[in-house]
């Protein structure tokens, strides 16, 4: 029996719990429970009305049974009845049962809500708290519907007790998380911010949690909280430890509140106001200074609380990423923790340094700790700490230290825990590829990887090494020699056999001159592994053999004998049998020429993102992976950050700039005056290009140009009527007049695109001297390459001809190329110019991510120049499905369930250009009542955010 | 925010479960199983933090009981450890040298104390005095309920 039974002891309950504990077996326990359930059921069903105490006791027993892991299918009604008891403890048990057992869609919700309503109205703080706790614990939609309007007023009412305010704040927070659409923003939000000034630190703590969550969703509405939070934080960090009485935790002043305030500040960029900014910097410095002071207590609680604040401060410093001195100080502080005797601190230091490594200000400072981190990899007893060390090495890797880091990871791999081997393999493979200056090193590294951890080398890894060897002819001979040597080992991993089979099959000829690796030796070596391998590998080897027949006629007979053997031709496996039969026949029938054509060397693979990187991202989730592709830091570890800061000053285009006619493509909806001004301005450079470039191209053109006076071509208006309709789609009619229809079919992959242009002659007469070519403005020339194939100069009446345009996106761009068409129809020269719908968003690759990753990214892209926002009136009916289709058509992945408000649309994608990749996040918030939209784009490049916002903003 | 808090014994017996977000029962059972196996398998003197799915798991052992708290990725691990510690202190203050048996026999009290301390996955009140005053005054309430109800609240 328990020594303590405070408050109201329920003897019957204690006896029952003792009984259960005394049960010797699971069966005995179940028997005892069933007996009790039967008893309770009969009591609840009995004629005699139960008194409150008994009801409470039985409900409590049911709760206990449920918590043991048994299902409970009755008693809910009795629990709900307890809510209306005027005995506090009965009410309390009723609420507890509901909190634990009632799921959100229960039929009882209405009854429960009734009880809650009465208690909220009771003006009794204890009862109100119970009711609020219940709402926060259950948090269902029905509850949100019933109480979301009432709770804000309880929260900000002047006469509400402090403890009720705390519960109300967190209750509201919970409802906002589960049903944000039901929690109305309003006049109360401004008053909530002022709770940061409250006298009661408990209220401030609860309110800060609420404000942080709300500010993450709509930062603009809570901007005023920044200065209040800084002021509050400043008062806490400078207070003497006794000032805050019971809110001082082991000599640390209000650690929970400090951390909450620091988190709230992480919803925003550094304060713009200089005074505020310097006050915040002072706070952060004070926190960093305190870390150096001798501890006020030897208790671990003291050091944990103090360091919790310190780590949160460092997170804020990293988030701001703007104060080099603070960043370097943070890095040094973490450096000290790397060697701390507390395992927890070492773990956290490794983790935080990963993020510091991606800041250009602290990347070098992080690198100085490389030896300590490598040492951690070798000596840490705890696998989770070692894993953080691997992560950090990966994050701090650049060209200068890649060889050392890769070597250390490889040697660690030999003893690494099985659970993290695959991840390390992927990381090594990525680093080796990314930082390879010398591809022989890359080949060595991957072969070593297979040797050390062959089982953990996924297909992506060995595919990739083959892709790279095929694409780089300077390394092929070396690769052939190296795999040949590696295959000599008596036991080698099957993955090595695969790589070896493929590479020798392609490039074995490069080492065949040496008698030690003559064709026959190579073949015998490969074939000695054949019988130990699985079916897919054997199939691959058979292909290698037929390639050998092509490369080396001298081993043809030997290989044919092998193919002809029963074990091949009659293999139980269909695939192997088929290959043996077909290859044998091919080698017998085909002439050497045909054989050489069929088995020609593999063409280079198209350059694409490493599939390994994709795999690692998938494995870890993009948020957790320190992004080494971040375009802020290029491969050398230097950065473009300085340029970025230069452009900050002109974050929003001025009105004047907007009115000046430039040759940028504009949406067609602007006023006629501006439109006219623009076409005039843009037509001239356009005709210049036309005259200069078109003349040498084809014979007929030359004639046409000589005949046509310049005024005809100067008057050509570039048609852009249908341009904006192609933002979210790729196919359709772009231009049509009485004579000609131009249709487009486009496909894009990464930074490449191809457009099929169809010219349809709508008349019954021929078009003669037909020509079409693409012109680009001077700026666009360096950003986009467009190559047009020539077309037939004659289009018969009623016929259609096709032209292919190949497009490569070099860097992000604004202008659009123009398709110029000239032809003669019945003796008159026709000139048509059509703006081609090649927009930046065509080079999107969609990216799926989880809600958490999304918002983490979103936050990372929080600098003012990275975000572009547009609020505009709906041009079309607000239909969810249409909107979804448009966003998908825009090229991003539509992320479901990311935005807490289901009415909002959230998307993510990566723009691929030849020079860089730009990650983009977008959010579209419709307001059906006002028929308005708010569109927000965040990308790491201002120009990209701007352009994408312009493009998409015209679509709804 | 915090996602859940579990208390279990060295034998893996669950003593308290608190979920701050709605999770289906089956899923809960799976999580409980994962947590107990993961945490109980840890070597002594390892660090107190683990990554699990997209959450951070913070655990600490007090005598025969393991306290295991799951927090979201951006939350502060060290402070989560102190959330656990503060809860232990609160239990200790209430029961007077708390032991596993106290929590078994007075599980409802353990829940009440937790509700005063944490709410909706966030910390509600960090002051030990304030929480204890709350709990004790509610214990007093049962005896004086009649009088209490008859007088105006404020």
């Amino acid at each position: 029996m328990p020594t303590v039974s405070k408050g109201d002891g329920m003897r019957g309950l204690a006896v029952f719990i003792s009984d259960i504990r005394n049960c010797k077996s699971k069966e005995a326990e179940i028997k005892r429970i069933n007996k009790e359930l039967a008893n309770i059921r009969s009591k609840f069903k009995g004629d005699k009305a139960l008194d409150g105490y008994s009801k409470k006791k039985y409900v409590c027993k049911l709760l206990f049974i449920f918590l043991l892991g048994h299902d409970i299918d009755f008693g809910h009604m009795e629990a709900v009845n307890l809510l209306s008891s005027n005995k506090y403890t009965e009410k309390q048990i009723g609420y507890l049962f509901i909190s634990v057992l009632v799921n959100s869609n229960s039929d009882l919700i209405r009854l429960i809500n009734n009880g809650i309503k009465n208690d909220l109205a009771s003006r009794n703080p204890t009862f109100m708290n119970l009711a609020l706790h219940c709402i926060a614990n259950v948090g269902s939609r029905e509850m949100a519907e019933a109480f979301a309007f009432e709770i804000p007023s309880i929260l900000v009412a002047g006469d509400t007790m402090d403890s009720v305010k705390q519960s109300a704040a967190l209750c509201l927070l919970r409802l906002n998380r589960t049903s944000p659409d039901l929690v109305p923003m309003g006049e109360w939000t401004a008053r909530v911010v002022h709770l940061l000034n409250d006298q009661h630190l408990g209220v401030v703590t609860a309110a800060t949690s609420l404000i942080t969550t709300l500010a993450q969703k709509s930062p603009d509405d809570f901007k005023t909280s920044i200065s209040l939070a800084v002021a509050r934080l400043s008062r806490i960090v400078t207070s003497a430890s006794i000032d805050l009485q019971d809110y001082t935790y082991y000599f640390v002043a209000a650690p929970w509140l400090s951390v909450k305030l620091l988190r709230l500040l992480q919803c925003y960029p550094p304060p713009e106001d200089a005074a505020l900014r310097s006050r915040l910097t002072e706070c952060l410095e004070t926190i960093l200074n305190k870390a150096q002071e001798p501890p006020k207590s030897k208790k671990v609680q003291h050091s944990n609380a103090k360091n919790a604040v310190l780590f949160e401060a460092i997170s804020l410093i990293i988030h701001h990423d703007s104060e080099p001195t603070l960043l370097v100080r943070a890095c040094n502080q973490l450096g000290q923790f790397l060697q701390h005797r507390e395992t927890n601190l070492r773990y956290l230091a490794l983790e935080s340094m990963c993020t510091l490594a991606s800041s250009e200000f602290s990347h070098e400072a992080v690198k100085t700790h490389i030896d300590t981190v490598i040492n951690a990899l070798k000596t840490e007893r705890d696998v989770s700490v070692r894993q953080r060390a691997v992560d950090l090495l990966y994050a701090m890797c650049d060209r200068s230290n890649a060889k050392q880091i890769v070597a250390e990871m490889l040697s660690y791999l030999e003893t690494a825990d099985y659970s993290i081997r695959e991840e390390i393999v992927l990381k090594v493979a990525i680093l080796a590829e990314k930082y390879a200056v010398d591809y022989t090193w890359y080949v060595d590294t991957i072969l070593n990887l297979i040797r050390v951890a062959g089982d953990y080398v996924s297909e992506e890894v060995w595919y990739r090494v083959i892709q790279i060897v095929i694409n780089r002819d300077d390394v092929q001979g070396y690769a052939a020699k190296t795999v040949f040597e590696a295959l000599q080992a008596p036991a080698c991993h099957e993955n090595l056999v695969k790589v070896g089979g493929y590479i020798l099959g392609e490039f074995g000829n490069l080492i065949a001159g040496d008698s030690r690796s003559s064709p026959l030796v190579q073949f015998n070596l490969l074939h000695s592994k054949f019988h130990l391998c699985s079916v897919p590998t054997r199939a691959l080897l058979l292909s290698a053999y037929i390639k050998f027949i092509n490369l080396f006629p001298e081993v043809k007979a030997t290989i044919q004998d092998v193919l002809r053997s029963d074990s091949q031709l009659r293999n139980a496996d269909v695939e192997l049998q088929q290959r043996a039969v077909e290859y044998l026949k091919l080698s017998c029938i085909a002439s050497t020429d045909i054989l050489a054509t069929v088995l020609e060397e593999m063409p280079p693979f198209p350059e694409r993102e490493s599939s390994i990187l994709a795999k690692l991202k998938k494995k870890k989730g993009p948020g957790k992976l320190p992004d080494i592709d971040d375009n802020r830091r290029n491969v050398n570890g230097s950065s473009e950050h300085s340029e970025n800061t230069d452009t900050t000053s002109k974050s929003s285009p001025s009105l004047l700039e907007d009115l000046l006619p430039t040759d940028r493509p504009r949406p067609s909806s602007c006023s006629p005056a501006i439109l006219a001004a623009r076409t005039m301005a843009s037509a001239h450079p356009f005709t210049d290009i036309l005259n200069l470039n078109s003349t040498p191209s084809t014979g007929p053109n030359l004639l046409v140009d000589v005949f046509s006076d310049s005024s005809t071509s100067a008057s050509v208006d570039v048609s852009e009527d249908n341009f904006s309709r192609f933002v979210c789609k790729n196919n359709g009619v772009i231009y049509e007049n009485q004579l000609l229809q131009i249709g487009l079919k486009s496909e894009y992959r990464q930074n490449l695109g191809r457009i099929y242009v169809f010219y349809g002659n709508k008349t019954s007469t021929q078009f003669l001297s037909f020509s079409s070519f693409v012109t680009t403005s001077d700026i666009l020339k360096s950003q986009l390459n467009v190559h047009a194939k020539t077309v037939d100069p004659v289009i018969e009446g009623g016929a259609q001809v096709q032209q292919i345009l190949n497009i490569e996106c070099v860097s992000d761009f604004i202008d659009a190329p123009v398709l110029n068409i000239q032809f003669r129809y019945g003796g008159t020269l026709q000139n048509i110019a059509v703006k081609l719908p090649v927009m930046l968003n065509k080079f999107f690759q969609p990216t799926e991510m989880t809600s958490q990753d999304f918002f983490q990214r979103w936050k990372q892209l929080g600098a003012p120049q990275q975000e572009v926002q547009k609020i505009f009136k709906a041009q079309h009916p607000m239909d969810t499905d249409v909107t979804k289709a448009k966003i998908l058509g825009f090229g991003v992945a539509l992320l479901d369930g990311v935005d807490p408000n289901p009415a909002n649309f959230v998307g993510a994608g990566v723009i691929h250009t030849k020079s860089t990749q730009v990650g983009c996040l977008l959010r579209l918030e419709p307001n059906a009542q006002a028929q308005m939209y708010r569109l927000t784009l965040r990308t790491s490049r201002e120009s990209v955010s701007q352009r994408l916002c312009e493009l998409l903003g015209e679509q709804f | 925010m915090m996602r859940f808090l579990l208390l279990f014994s060295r034998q893996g017996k669950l003593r308290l479960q608190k979920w701050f977000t709605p999770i289906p029962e089956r899923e809960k059972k799976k999580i409980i199983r994962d947590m107990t196996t993961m945490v109980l398998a840890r070597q002594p003197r390892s660090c107190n933090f683990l990554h699990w799915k997209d959450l951070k798991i913070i655990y600490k052992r007090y005598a025969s009981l393991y306290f295991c708290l799951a927090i979201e990725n951006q939350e502060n691990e060290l402070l989560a450890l102190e959330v656990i510690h503060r809860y232990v202190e609160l239990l200790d203050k209430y029961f007077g040298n708390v032991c596993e048996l106290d929590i078994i026999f007075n599980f409802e009290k353990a829940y009440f104390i937790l509700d005063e301390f944490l709410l909706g996955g966030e910390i509600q009140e960090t002051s030990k005095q304030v929480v204890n005053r709350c709990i004790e005054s509610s214990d007093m309430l049962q005896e004086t309920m009649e009088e209490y109800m008859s007088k105006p609240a404020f």
Side-chain angles (χ1 to χ4, degrees):
Chain A
M1 286 295 287
T3 47
V4 182
S5 181
K6 278 211 178 184
D8 56 325
M10 284 176 277
R11 216 187 121 68
L13 177 67
V15 170
F16 175 59
I17 296 174
S18 297
D19 282 1
I20 295 288
R21 287 179 51 76
N22 290 334
C23 288
K24 294 281 183 285
S25 66
K26 195 79 196 161
E27 290 72 38
E29 186 186 304
I30 291 173
K31 213 174 141 197
R32 177 69 186 87
I33 285 171
N34 285 336
K35 188 179 148 205
E36 192 63 40
L37 286 175
N39 172 37
I40 298 172
R41 200 175 269 130
S42 72
K43 288 281 195 295
F44 282 167
K45 277 198 183 142
D47 308 329
K48 213 173 78 191
L50 287 175
D51 60 23
Y53 172 82
S54 314
K55 221 186 266 175
K56 175 181 86 171
K57 184 181 72 184
Y58 293 130
V59 166
C60 213
K61 280 181 178 175
L62 287 178
L63 190 55
F64 180 77
I65 294 171
F66 177 78
L67 290 170
L68 280 177
H70 302 268
D71 290 336
I72 295 295
D73 53 6
F74 69 101
H76 301 70
M77 204 54 198
E78 283 72 15
V80 174
N81 284 340
L82 285 177
L83 297 189
S84 49
S85 162
N86 56 2
K87 287 222 165 54
Y88 178 74
T89 51
E90 289 169 15
K91 208 185 255 300
Q92 201 182 21
I93 293 290
Y95 273 123
L96 178 61
F97 183 93
I98 288 160
S99 299
V100 174
L101 253 113
V102 172
N103 53 23
S104 44
N105 48 14
S106 164
D107 308 335
L108 293 170
I109 282 288
R110 201 174 309 163
L111 290 171
I112 297 169
N113 279 355
N114 219 8
I116 292 176
K117 188 164 273 164
N118 290 336
D119 283 332
L120 282 184
S122 71
R123 316 265 300 154
N124 173 331
T126 323
F127 288 4
M128 285 172 89
N129 271 339
L130 277 182
L132 289 169
H133 290 180
C134 181
I135 300 173
N137 279 324
V138 178
S140 70
R141 251 193 111 67
E142 290 88 343
M143 285 190 177
E145 275 163 7
F147 304 109
F149 276 95
E150 194 171 348
I151 297 169
S153 47
I154 296 177
L155 175 60
V156 295
D159 59 350
T160 306
M161 299 272 290
D162 289 333
S163 68
V164 178
K165 272 188 194 161
Q166 285 166 273
S167 306
L170 295 177
C171 194
L172 201 52
L173 170 55
R174 172 67 199 271
L175 294 184
N176 185 280
R177 276 184 183 139
T178 44
S179 326
D181 52 316
L182 294 179
V183 180
M185 293 292 146
E187 174 261 348
W188 62 273
T189 44
R191 297 173 65 185
V192 162
V193 174
H194 285 279
L195 290 178
L196 289 174
N197 275 335
D198 203 282
Q199 297 239 306
H200 190 286
L201 284 190
V203 173
V204 185
T205 310
T208 311
S209 294
L210 174 64
I211 295 167
T212 305
T213 304
L214 296 175
Q216 277 164 353
K217 292 177 181 168
S218 40
D220 291 346
D221 298 340
F222 293 88
K223 270 201 172 120
T224 45
S225 64
I226 304 175
S227 58
L228 295 177
V230 172
R232 191 94 221 191
L233 183 67
S234 164
R235 266 178 284 157
I236 296 172
V237 294
T238 52
S239 65
S241 49
I242 41 156
D243 288 356
L244 305 174
Q245 293 149 356
D246 207 32
Y247 291 90
T248 298
Y249 181 82
Y250 291 87
F251 304 100
V252 181
W256 277 281
L257 179 54
S258 307
V259 166
K260 291 268 173 215
L261 291 169
L262 287 163
R263 278 205 51 74
L264 170 59
L265 292 169
Q266 285 173 64
C267 301
Y268 292 97
E272 279 155 25
D273 177 66
L276 193 59
R277 194 169 166 146
S278 75
R279 192 160 184 205
L280 177 56
T281 306
E282 261 169 47
C283 286
L284 295 170
E285 276 169 348
T286 313
I287 295 171
L288 284 167
N289 292 341
K290 278 191 181 167
Q292 297 299 328
E293 288 170 10
K296 294 199 175 73
S297 154
K298 283 208 169 74
K299 288 238 164 69
V300 67
Q301 283 76 27
H302 171 69
S303 102
N304 279 351
K306 187 165 118 179
N307 292 325
V309 178
L310 176 63
F311 273 101
E312 206 60 50
I314 292 177
S315 292
L316 180 62
I317 292 170
I318 297 173
H319 169 79
H320 284 169
D321 198 13
S322 63
E323 299 272 354
T325 32
L326 286 179
L327 279 159
V328 170
R329 278 194 69 186
C331 186
N332 293 339
Q333 181 61 55
L334 295 177
Q336 287 180 17
F337 285 153
L338 285 181
Q339 312 205 42
H340 202 276
R341 61 187 168 77
E342 275 274 327
T343 316
N344 288 343
L345 288 179
R346 295 198 303 274
Y347 175 98
L348 293 174
L350 289 165
E351 195 176 55
S352 294
M353 264 202 186
C354 273
T355 30
L356 267 181
S358 56
S359 162
E360 50 139 339
F361 298 120
S362 46
H363 182 76
E364 288 304 315
V366 171
K367 273 167 65 187
T368 59
H369 298 288
I370 186 166
D371 293 330
T372 320
V373 183
I374 288 171
N375 196 41
L377 201 56
K378 292 176 176 161
T379 55
E380 283 292 345
R381 289 152 37 98
D382 183 349
V383 52
S384 27
V385 184
R386 290 197 298 268
Q387 176 146 22
R388 295 297 139 244
V390 172
D391 286 348
L392 179 52
L393 285 177
Y394 179 77
M396 66 162 70
C397 192
D398 62 25
R399 227 176 256 298
S400 71
N401 55 21
K403 285 205 171 168
Q404 185 190 6
I405 286 178
V406 166
E408 290 295 346
M409 283 195 181
L410 266 176
S411 82
Y412 170 61
L413 197 51
E414 308 209 22
T415 53
D417 310 75
Y418 298 112
S419 55
I420 58 173
R421 280 194 187 187
E422 190 187 354
E423 199 184 305
I424 299 176
V425 167
L426 292 174
K427 285 184 166 154
V428 170
I430 291 167
L431 293 177
E433 181 186 337
K434 192 170 170 65
Y435 297 115
V437 185
D438 161 9
Y439 278 85
T440 59
W441 173 71
Y442 170 74
V443 170
D444 286 341
T445 304
I446 301 295
L447 291 182
N448 255 328
L449 204 54
I450 296 174
R451 186 180 55 77
V452 174
D455 284 345
Y456 297 89
V457 172
S458 57
E459 284 184 339
E460 286 87 352
V461 174
W462 75 261
Y463 287 174
R464 188 70 184 164
V465 66
I466 285 171
Q467 280 176 13
I468 286 176
V469 170
I470 284 176
N471 287 10
R472 302 197 61 97
D473 42 18
D474 53 330
V475 78
Q476 289 160 355
Y478 180 81
K481 181 167 160 286
T482 319
V483 288
F484 178 78
E485 280 161 8
L487 284 169
Q488 310 274 350
C492 50
H493 195 274
E494 192 166 330
N495 279 332
L496 183 65
V497 179
K498 288 178 181 160
V499 174
Y502 203 101
I503 287 183
L504 291 180
E506 291 287 326
F507 308 115
N509 54 332
L510 299 175
I511 56 167
D514 189 326
S515 62
R516 285 165 298 176
S517 52
S518 69
L520 192 61
V521 176
Q522 286 185 39
F523 171 72
N524 285 336
L525 180 60
L526 280 181
H527 199 53
S528 68
K529 315 285 181 193
F530 188 91
H531 304 279
L532 303 168
C533 291
S534 63
V535 170
T537 309
R538 288 188 195 191
L540 186 151
L541 285 177
L542 289 178
S543 299
Y545 296 170
I546 184 74
K547 291 180 194 167
F548 269 36
I549 292 182
N550 174 43
L551 290 176
F552 317 118
E554 63 264 43
V555 293
K556 182 173 174 178
T558 321
I559 293 177
Q560 282 178 330
D561 284 344
V562 168
L563 292 175
R564 204 176 283 125
S565 68
D566 276 358
S567 61
Q568 307 296 352
L569 278 187
R570 300 182 181 203
N571 195 294
D573 186 88
V574 180
E575 177 67 28
L576 292 182
Q577 198 185 86
Q578 189 177 355
R579 285 195 191 208
V581 172
E582 288 177 358
Y583 291 161
L584 183 60
K585 274 285 178 240
L586 182 67
S587 71
C588 296
I589 299 167
S591 70
T592 27
D593 280 356
I594 292 177
L595 206 57
T597 316
V598 173
L599 300 169
E600 204 181 343
E601 197 177 294
M602 290 295 284
F605 287 88
E607 281 304 329
R608 54 185 148 201
E609 187 198 14
S610 159
S611 48
I612 311 174
L613 195 62
K615 176 157 179 158
L616 184 62
K617 279 181 185 160
K618 205 171 134 199
K619 203 172 153 59
K620 291 217 104 178
K624 274 187 237 168
L625 183 68
D627 196 354
I628 54 171
D629 278 339
D630 188 346
N631 68 357
R632 257 194 1 214
R633 220 182 80 211
N634 62 27
V635 279
N636 304 320
S638 70
S639 73
E640 308 169 359
H641 197 277
S642 46
E643 292 168 38
N644 285 351
T645 41
D646 286 344
T647 55
T648 332
S649 52
K650 49 164 190 128
S651 58
S652 66
S654 70
L655 186 64
L656 187 65
E657 195 180 17
D658 243 8
L659 287 171
L660 279 175
T662 60
D663 58 348
R664 287 165 135 215
R666 293 280 162 157
S668 48
S669 61
C670 51
S671 80
I674 301 175
L675 194 73
R678 185 187 62 246
T679 30
M680 275 173 63
S682 62
H684 289 291
F686 157 66
T687 42
D688 279 353
I689 297 164
L690 183 136
N691 286 336
L692 284 177
N693 284 5
S694 63
T695 29
S697 59
T698 47
N701 262 342
L702 189 63
L703 267 178
V704 168
D705 277 343
V706 171
F707 284 133
S708 66
D709 56 355
S710 60
S711 62
T712 0
S713 45
S715 66
V716 176
D717 233 342
V718 179
S719 157
E720 49 184 70
D721 298 346
N722 291 329
F723 184 81
S724 69
R725 283 174 45 205
F726 278 78
V727 170
C728 297
K729 64 172 191 171
N730 284 331
N731 305 328
V733 174
I734 183 82
Y735 179 84
E736 184 157 28
N737 63 13
Q738 293 101 321
L739 308 177
L740 178 73
Q741 184 191 55
I742 306 176
L744 299 181
K745 262 177 100 164
S746 348
E747 49 192 46
Y748 290 89
R749 220 182 54 211
Q750 307 204 327
N751 71 322
L752 301 175
R754 175 169 291 170
I755 301 183
Y756 300 90
V757 188
F758 299 92
Y759 303 97
N761 183 343
K762 289 168 70 179
T763 71
S764 52
T765 340
Q766 279 184 334
F767 291 163
L768 292 171
S769 312
F770 187 89
S771 76
S772 73
F773 53 93
V774 176
T775 51
T776 48
S777 70
D778 286 343
I779 308 168
L780 190 57
K781 268 198 181 71
S782 59
Q783 298 166 333
L784 194 74
N785 292 324
V786 184
H787 178 256
K789 304 235 163 121
T790 48
V791 265
D792 204 330
V794 177
I795 305 179
E796 298 294 340
Q800 193 183 52
V801 298
Q802 177 193 319
Q803 183 180 30
I804 295 178
L805 311 177
N806 286 318
I807 297 160
E808 182 190 34
C809 174
V810 180
S811 63
D812 66 290
F813 62 96
I814 293 168
D815 291 5
V818 175
L819 182 66
N820 303 279
I821 300 124
Q822 291 185 336
F823 58 93
R824 276 186 182 277
Y825 167 73
T828 23
L829 182 68
Q830 305 286 332
N831 270 311
I832 294 166
V834 179
K835 196 151 99 171
L836 273 176
V838 179
M839 305 93 166
L840 187 54
N841 66 298
K842 298 293 176 193
F843 302 95
F844 256 130
Q845 291 282 109
T847 315
E848 293 291 346
M849 53 175 80
T850 64
S851 166
Q852 194 170 13
D853 294 326
F854 181 87
F855 282 107
Q856 196 166 352
R857 284 277 162 122
W858 183 263
K859 229 183 59 190
Q860 282 165 2
L861 295 171
Q865 72 272 23
Q866 296 175 324
E867 180 185 282
V868 174
Q869 197 168 68
K870 184 175 175 182
I871 295 170
F872 54 91
K873 196 122 194 104
Q875 313 269 341
H876 304 281
M878 296 176 90
D879 181 320
T880 307
D881 290 334
V882 174
T883 308
K884 276 187 180 166
K886 281 186 177 163
I887 292 174
L888 286 172
F890 193 60
V892 295
L894 193 63
L895 306 176
D896 264 347
V898 165
D899 200 292
N901 179 353
N904 293 345
F905 304 93
V906 161
V910 177
I911 296 272
H912 286 256
T913 72
K914 193 180 178 188
S915 54
T916 178
Q917 299 183 358
V918 184
C920 309
L921 303 177
L922 74 84
R923 185 181 198 192
L924 180 72
E925 298 158 88
N927 179 339
Q929 266 177 343
Q931 289 288 304
M932 301 280 280
Y933 284 102
R934 180 163 75 172
L935 172 66
T936 314
L937 267 135
R938 287 191 178 186
T939 78
S940 47
R941 267 171 193 250
E942 184 185 11
S943 55
V944 174
S945 306
Q946 197 80 44
R947 179 60 181 152
L948 292 175
C949 190
E950 279 168 20
L951 285 168
L952 192 59
E954 298 291 329
Q955 296 298 314
F956 300 102
Chain B
M1 74 177 281
M2 295 172 247
R3 293 288 192 83
F4 57 81
L5 171 69
L6 304 176
L7 268 65
F8 47 83
S9 68
R10 260 191 310 173
Q11 293 75 33
K13 279 244 180 212
L14 190 67
R15 296 302 180 205
L16 183 137
Q17 46 175 315
K18 180 79 187 178
W19 308 89
F20 296 109
T21 51
I23 298 173
E25 285 303 317
R26 275 188 52 186
E27 181 72 4
K28 283 184 189 171
K29 286 191 176 147
K30 201 183 157 302
I31 294 176
I32 293 168
R33 208 168 42 236
D34 279 5
M35 288 304 124
T36 44
T37 40
M38 237 170 62
V39 169
L40 293 175
R42 298 278 293 169
Q43 299 291 317
R45 289 205 290 142
S46 297
C47 76
N48 297 91
F49 318 130
L50 293 168
H51 274 268
W52 180 79
K53 299 197 174 164
D54 58 341
L55 298 178
K56 293 174 181 171
I57 307 299
I58 316 302
Y59 72 93
K60 189 161 184 181
R61 185 179 152 182
Y62 287 87
S64 60
L65 265 190
Y66 282 88
F67 289 67
C68 171
L69 179 63
I71 58 176
E72 287 177 354
N73 226 322
Q74 68 278 13
E75 295 282 318
N76 194 308
E77 292 100 332
L78 286 173
L79 210 56
L81 265 183
E82 296 319 299
V83 167
I84 293 176
H85 187 75
R86 176 55 31 124
Y87 183 47
V88 173
E89 284 184 347
L90 290 169
L91 293 171
D92 208 54
K93 182 94 201 257
Y94 181 77
F95 290 108
N97 210 356
V98 67
C99 67
E100 195 181 337
L101 278 182
D102 292 321
I103 295 172
I104 296 173
F105 280 95
N106 301 285
F107 68 94
E108 79 281 10
K109 296 285 181 209
Y111 276 99
F112 296 150
I113 295 171
L114 191 60
D115 269 350
E116 294 295 336
F117 177 45
L118 306 177
L119 189 64
E122 300 288 347
I123 197 128
Q124 177 174 213
E125 179 54 71
T126 64
S127 158
K128 198 156 60 171
Q129 285 171 15
V130 174
V131 175
N132 276 318
R133 223 181 293 134
C134 265
I135 299 292
E136 268 162 22
S137 69
S138 75
D139 273 345
M140 294 292 288
L141 274 183
Q142 64 157 354
E143 283 121 42
T144 56
M145 181 59 71
E146 294 307 322
E147 306 135 40
Y148 190 89
M149 285 307 287
S150 58
K151 73 180 177 202
F154 324 44

